[in-house]
Amino acid sequence: MKDSLSRQFFRPLGLLLFFVMFASAALAENSGQDAVFLRVANGPDQGYTIKVQGEQSGELFLADIGSLARAMRLGSVFDGRRMQIDEAFGSTVTSCILTEKNNFAVIGSAAGDSPIRVLQLASAPVFGRDRVFLPVDQACRMFTLWLGRQVRYNARTGRIDAELGSRWPSASLQSVGQLPDDAPPPKSPEPSAPAPDSGRDSSAAREKTVIDNIRIQSLANGAVIRFSATGGTRNASFLRADKSNNLYLTIENATGNPARLAKNYPGGVVKSISPMPLDSGAMQFTIALNIPSSSIKSSSFRYDAAKNDYVISVMNDVDVEAIHMTEKERRIQERLSHDVDKWKLDAVVIDAGHGGKDPGAIGITGTREKDVVLNIARDLGMFIRQKWPEVKVIYTRKEDRFIPLKERGQIANRYGGKVFISIHCNSTAGNRKVRGPEVYILGPHKTQAALNVAMFENSVITEEENSNESYKGFSDEYLIMSSMAQSAFATQSTELAQDVLRRLGRDGSNNGLGVRQAGFMVLWTPSMPSILVETGYLSNPAEEKLLRDRKAQTGVAYAIFQGLQQYRSAYESRMAVSSRAVN
C-alpha cells in the first residue's frame, strides 16, 4: 500500500520535472539562436532562401553583416576596424562603410559620381571575432535605405525578406542622408563660457586642470583649434588677433607640459602655438597665424563640455568655392589612389580540383585528375611567386586532401583573393576523340556539353558529409541566382577566361574551343573574377599521355600564368589611366 501511494505521488512529480526540463531546453535553444533565414526575390518566380548567421543578445538577434551581405550577393571587406560592403545593382557601384564605435554608415560611389550619404544607426555596430553585428531590424533598415530595395525582418516568423529585383517604389529613399557636394563646414555653436568654479569646495576645484593635447582641424575657410583638458571646468578668456596676427587663450587654474604642447605648423591658417604658465596659476596660449588680421572674417571661443575641450574657431576671408573645388579634387584623387591599391591584383587563389577521396576523372590508363591538377596548381603558384614576388598565392589545397566545394570559395574570400582560378581535367564517356582545353565562367548552361561538364564537376558534393542539408535547394534556379551574384565580375571573368584560353590552345583541339558558361558550384561563392580551366580530356588516350607528363603539366601551368599576366597588365593599366584622368 505504501509503495502504491509512493508511485501515485512520484509519477506526476516525475512528469512535472520532465516538462520543466523540456521547457528549459527549448528556452535555451531559442536563446542560443545563431541564424535566421533570408528569402531573396530577384524578380517574378525568381528567388532563393539562405541562412544568415548571427547571435542572440538578450531579446535582440544580432545579424552578422558580412553573412547578410554575402546572402544578398554583395561583396564585403573587413580590416578589423572598418567594414566596406559593395553593390553593383545598377550602372553606379556604391559602397556602404561601417566603422567601429560609430553610429553612422557612410555611403558613396567608388567613382565619386554620386553624392555621399550618411545614415544614422540606432546604435553603433558591434565588432568582435572578425565579424560585425547589428540588430537585425536595424540592419534591414540600413540596407533598404542604401539600396533602395525593400529588406524587411518579420519578428514573428524570424525571417528576412529582400526584394532585390527592382527599386522600391519609394526611390526617394536613396536621397536619405545625402550630403551636397558644396555643403559648407558646419557652424560652431555660439560661444558659451564655463561656469565659474569659485565657492566650490571640491577636489576638482582645488586641483589644476591639465591641458594634455592640442588638435587643429583645417577647414576650407579657416581652422578649429581644440585644447583637450583633463580635470574640472575652468574659466577662460580669449583675445582676438592683434597687429602681430596673434590670438591669446588663457585658462585659469590650469597646467600642462610647455615643451610637449609647443608646436609649429608648416602650412594652413595656424603658424605656431606657444604655451606659457603664468604666476597666477593660469596657462596662456599664444596662437600665431599665417594670415594677416585684416583677412580674418571671424574668430570665436567656446567650451565643449561633452569632450572637455576649449575650442577656438578662426574663419578667414577667402575664395571658399575655389578652395572647395581644390579640396574635392584632392579627395577624389586620394579615393582613386586608394581604389587602385585596393583593386591591384595582389592575391591569386589557385584551386586544384577534387582531391582525397574524390579522384575526379580517371583516364584510360588510370591517370587521376586530382594528381594532374595538383601538379599544375603548384607549378602555377611557383611561376606567380617567381615573376611577381609582391603577389600573394593562396591555395585551396596543396596536398592530396578533400575540400568541400563550398569551402573553396570561402577560402578565397577569407584570404582576400582578387582572382580565383579552379583547375580541372575533363572526360567524356563513349567518345575518345574529343580533346583540347576549355575555360568556363559562371552562368546558365548554354549547351548540353557545358551542362554535362558542370554536372560531373558538381557531383563531388555527394562525397561530402551532410551534403543534402549543406546544398539544400541547389538547382538550376540557384545557378541562375549565383551567376547574377557574379554579374559585378562578369566582364573581368570573361576577359581573364579569354586571355587564359588563348595561351592554352593546342593543335588538334576539336571541342569547339571557346569561353563557355556553366553552373559550377565551386565558382558560386568567390566574390571576385573567377574561372574554371579544363586543361584537357583524360578520356582521350593521346591527351591523357600528354597530361600525365610532368613537363607538359608545367607547360600548362605556364600557359595559364601567361594568360593571367596579360589580364593583370591590361586591368591595372586601365586603373592607372582612370586615376590619371582625374588630374
Side-chain angles (χ1 to χ4, degrees), residues 415-556:
Y415 292 99
K418 299 297 176 63
V419 163
F420 182 86
I421 301 175
S422 188
I423 304 173
H424 293 259
C425 296
N426 217 332
S427 179
T428 179
N431 187 346
R432 296 187 177 185
K433 294 182 179 180
V434 63
R435 59 177 292 162
E438 299 161 338
V439 183
Y440 289 84
I441 63 172
L442 184 66
H445 326 291
K446 299 292 186 181
T447 65
Q448 182 63 37
L451 173 61
N452 292 340
V453 175
M455 289 178 62
F456 176 78
E457 299 295 356
N458 292 338
S459 65
V460 67
I461 65 175
T462 60
E463 299 286 341
E464 300 179 24
E465 295 181 4
N466 302 318
S467 60
N468 290 338
E469 183 64 28
S470 298
Y471 297 93
K472 188 176 182 180
F474 181 63
S475 62
D476 278 346
E477 182 183 7
Y478 243 50
L479 300 178
I480 295 172
M481 294 302 103
S482 59
S483 65
M484 292 176 67
Q486 276 281 331
S487 62
F489 307 105
T491 301
Q492 296 98 314
S493 296
T494 302
E495 183 180 342
L496 173 60
Q498 290 171 340
D499 289 338
V500 169
L501 189 57
R502 275 194 291 267
R503 298 292 184 171
L504 272 178
R506 66 175 70 104
D507 295 337
S509 296
N510 59 6
N511 59 3
L513 196 65
V515 173
R516 303 180 179 185
Q517 290 184 347
F520 294 96
M521 183 63 186
V522 74
L523 297 182
W524 179 51
T525 311
S527 299
M528 64 199 70
S530 305
I531 62 172
L532 185 143
V533 181
E534 294 283 3
T535 56
Y537 281 79
L538 293 179
S539 53
N540 181 296
E543 199 148 58
E544 178 191 11
K545 182 178 179 181
L546 175 72
L547 289 172
R548 72 184 298 161
D549 180 76
R550 194 65 190 87
K551 184 176 180 181
Q553 292 169 358
T554 303
V556 170

Side-chain angles (χ1 to χ4, degrees), residues 346-398:
D346 57 3
V348 177
V349 182
I350 304 174
D351 172 53
H354 308 277
K357 62 184 178 181
D358 171 29
I362 299 177
I364 299 168
T365 62
T367 305
R368 299 182 300 183
E369 177 182 1
K370 69 174 184 175
D371 300 326
V372 174
V373 299
L374 182 57
N375 286 337
I376 294 173
R378 287 170 173 168
D379 288 345
L380 175 58
M382 174 192 66
F383 287 125
I384 293 173
R385 287 194 301 271
Q386 287 178 349
K387 304 289 185 178
W388 303 333
E390 76 282 5
V391 173
K392 180 170 62 174
V393 176
I394 302 150
Y395 298 94
T396 58
R397 70 179 183 99
K398 292 183 69 176

Side-chain angles (χ1 to χ4, degrees), residues 107 129 202 334 406 454 568:
I107 295 169
R129 301 189 306 281
S202 66
E334 285 183 353
K406 63 179 183 179
R568 183 191 187 196

Side-chain angles (χ1 to χ4, degrees), residues 196-209 231-234 252-254:
D197 60 357
S198 58
R200 291 185 300 173
D201 186 18
S202 66
S203 59
R206 293 191 302 270
E207 295 176 0
K208 283 183 176 291
T209 288
T233 303
R234 303 303 175 198
E252 296 181 5
N253 199 20

Side-chain angles (χ1 to χ4, degrees), residues 290-307:
N290 275 319
I291 56 175
S293 56
S294 58
S295 67
I296 295 178
K297 189 175 183 179
S298 67
S299 59
S300 61
F301 165 74
R302 65 185 177 89
Y303 173 69
D304 185 344
K307 297 182 178 179

